[in-house]
Amino acid sequence: MARLEIGDQKVLEVLNDIKSSQSQINWGVFGYVPRTSSLQVVSSGEGGWNEMIEEMSDGKVLFGYASFKVSEVFKYVFLVWCSEGVSAMAKGTFQRHTGDFENFLKSNGFGYHVQINARNENDLEEKDVVEKLNRARGANFVQAKTSVQMKQAPQRALRDDRASFWGKQSEVDKNVANQMSAHNKAKEESLLRTREAEAQRISNQANRLNQEVNAKRESEVANRRAEQETRTNVEKAKWESQSKNLQNQVENKYNSAARAEYGTAMKSSAPAPAHNTYQAPQYDDYNTQSTTSTKTAVNIPSGAAGNLRNKFEQLAQAPAQPAVPSKPVAPAAKKAAPPPPAARVPEPVYTPEPEPEPEQYYDDSHHQDYQQEQQHEQHEQQYEQQQQDDYYQEEQHQQYEDQGYDTGNGNQYPLAKAVYDYAGEEGDLSFNEGDIISVIDTSDPGGWWQGELNGAVGVFPSNFVEMIQ
């Protein structure tokens, strides 16, 4: 299929005349050179649209280009005519050649506002073309008119229409600006109210959360205090019960051992001569003395009897093991040390009651028996004291094991580091700042702990150390 050939200079000349404001030509019709695909000028004129459509005839394919004057400017119309009597071959090339001519017009600066595709005279009515031209983009500012309308009401000058348009447009813009200003002001006020409401809501929420957190914290503190008080009371009751049980065990075991040892010692002593009969008292219980005894009156030297009786009285009136004195405030250390805790409550120490003084009868002639009896009494007192000390240490050792402390060779006690110097009294554990102490017992509610350092065991104030293990 051949392309449309546009090589005739007359085509460009006619198109330039139509576009020029100096020329009176306002339309042109273009057709094929017979039996070719070349385009040529068919006719042109100054009579406008109606004059141009008179050149349209059946059986031909024609192209038209016309101008309409609108006030002081021109609008252009591109006409494509393909009548109903055109052959099928011509119709086949029509669409392609139409596109070629459109590209030619645009590439050479001959733009148009409306394209009219016509097949008969009904498609060429001037009023239809003007209506399409007015609806076209960029043509609404000033309306085009038909030739009849032009005769009835000539168009005003473009500057008059421009002034009228911009005057009206200024009023419209002013009204729109006022509306936008009012809208923006209302929007800002609404936004401000919304922000204030949101800030108030957040503030109320924060206050509520703070109150809930404070109430929860106070409840937790109260619960912890109650738990601490409960644990303190339980530990105190446990300690008191253990101390009481230990005291009872020591007392019962010591009483049994003392009775057994005393009876054995008395039985193994040498028998008195026939003229000096002595029978040790018999006891149904430790605190109940039998009143049945067999005695033979003898003369006892006043000095020897008095000394023996004084010996028993001293044993009966012997004071109990002295209680641990209250702890004084520790001396000032290298750096300001806190005062030690309250004085440690001393461990209960059982002091056995003295054995009842047996009635003894000596013969003045057997002073040697008196001396032997006195030595026996001294050995018995030493043995009883040793038994009491050993048993107390055994019970204390067992108590430590019951409380969960390791008493083996390995040191598994918790460790504490001394943060101040402490020079204790007798029974206390003295240490220097930086010493590592094995903590044996922390059950004393008064704050006095028992520990071991370099083989020495004693008590010390807990606020002079800090736990490291």
Side-chain angles (χ1 to χ4, degrees), residues 65-359:
Y65 192 78
S67 64
F68 285 79
K69 187 177 182 180
V70 181
S71 186
E72 297 178 358
V73 298
F74 293 91
K75 306 295 181 180
Y76 299 95
V77 178
F78 174 47
L79 173 62
V80 180
W81 170 263
C82 181
S83 66
E84 296 176 355
V86 175
S87 63
M89 183 179 295
K91 289 181 179 180
T93 60
F94 170 70
Q95 293 294 336
R96 186 177 184 86
H97 289 173
T98 299
D100 293 340
F101 194 43
E102 290 177 359
N103 293 334
F104 173 78
L105 292 175
K106 293 178 181 179
S107 61
N108 288 277
F110 302 108
Y112 52 88
H113 298 86
V114 175
Q115 178 178 337
I116 303 297
N117 297 320
R119 297 178 63 85
N120 52 52
E121 294 180 356
N122 294 330
D123 297 331
L124 300 176
E125 292 292 336
E126 184 181 19
K127 62 182 182 61
D128 296 335
V129 176
V130 170
E131 184 178 355
K132 291 181 179 179
L133 191 62
N134 289 332
R135 291 200 305 266
R137 181 179 180 185
N140 291 329
F141 183 69
V142 178
Q143 297 291 317
K145 296 181 180 180
T146 65
S147 58
V148 177
Q149 292 173 342
M150 290 289 291
K151 292 178 181 179
Q152 294 176 353
Q155 291 184 341
R156 295 183 302 169
L158 182 61
R159 58 178 173 270
D160 297 335
D161 292 336
R162 185 187 304 115
S164 176
F165 172 80
W166 286 115
K168 295 179 181 179
Q169 190 66 32
S170 177
E171 293 294 332
V172 172
D173 292 343
K174 186 176 180 180
N175 293 334
V176 171
N178 293 334
Q179 293 176 1
M180 289 298 298
S181 178
H183 174 72
N184 292 336
K185 184 176 180 180
K187 186 177 180 180
E188 290 178 357
E189 293 177 353
S190 176
L191 182 61
L192 181 60
R193 290 192 297 270
T194 302
R195 290 177 178 175
E196 292 177 352
E198 182 67 14
Q200 184 64 32
R201 185 187 66 81
I202 294 175
S203 177
N204 294 338
Q205 184 178 6
N207 293 335
R208 185 174 65 257
L209 291 176
N210 288 335
Q211 293 176 358
E212 293 177 357
V213 170
N214 292 335
K216 184 177 180 181
R217 184 182 296 111
E218 292 176 357
S219 176
E220 292 176 352
V221 170
N223 292 337
R224 285 197 297 268
R225 289 178 177 174
E227 293 175 358
Q228 181 65 29
E229 184 176 359
T230 301
R231 287 195 298 269
T232 302
N233 294 335
V234 170
E235 291 295 332
K236 183 177 180 181
K238 181 179 178 181
W239 179 82
E240 292 177 352
S241 176
Q242 291 177 349
S243 300
K244 185 176 182 180
N245 292 337
L246 179 60
Q247 180 179 356
N248 293 335
Q249 293 174 5
V250 171
E251 180 179 350
N252 294 334
K253 193 168 184 179
Y254 178 75
N255 291 341
S256 299
R259 288 195 300 268
E261 292 296 331
Y262 182 78
T264 302
M266 294 301 296
K267 290 178 180 179
S268 61
S269 59
H275 57 272
N276 185 19
T277 303
Y278 165 77
Q279 182 176 357
Q282 303 295 323
Y283 300 99
D284 295 336
D285 191 18
Y286 179 74
N287 295 322
T288 305
Q289 179 179 357
S290 174
T291 57
T292 305
S293 61
T294 304
K295 301 177 290 293
T296 301
V298 295
N299 295 324
I300 300 175
S302 60
N307 293 335
L308 182 60
R309 182 171 289 102
N310 292 337
K311 184 67 177 179
F312 278 104
E313 291 177 356
Q314 292 176 5
L315 178 62
Q317 298 176 2
Q321 182 179 351
V324 178
S326 301
K327 298 300 179 182
V329 177
K334 296 179 182 179
K335 52 185 177 181
R344 179 170 61 89
V345 179
E347 292 287 339
V349 178
Y350 170 71
T351 302
E353 297 181 1
E355 293 288 339
E357 180 180 353
E359 297 181 4

Side-chain angles (χ1 to χ4, degrees), residues 393 411 453:
Q393 292 180 0
N411 183 12
L453 175 63

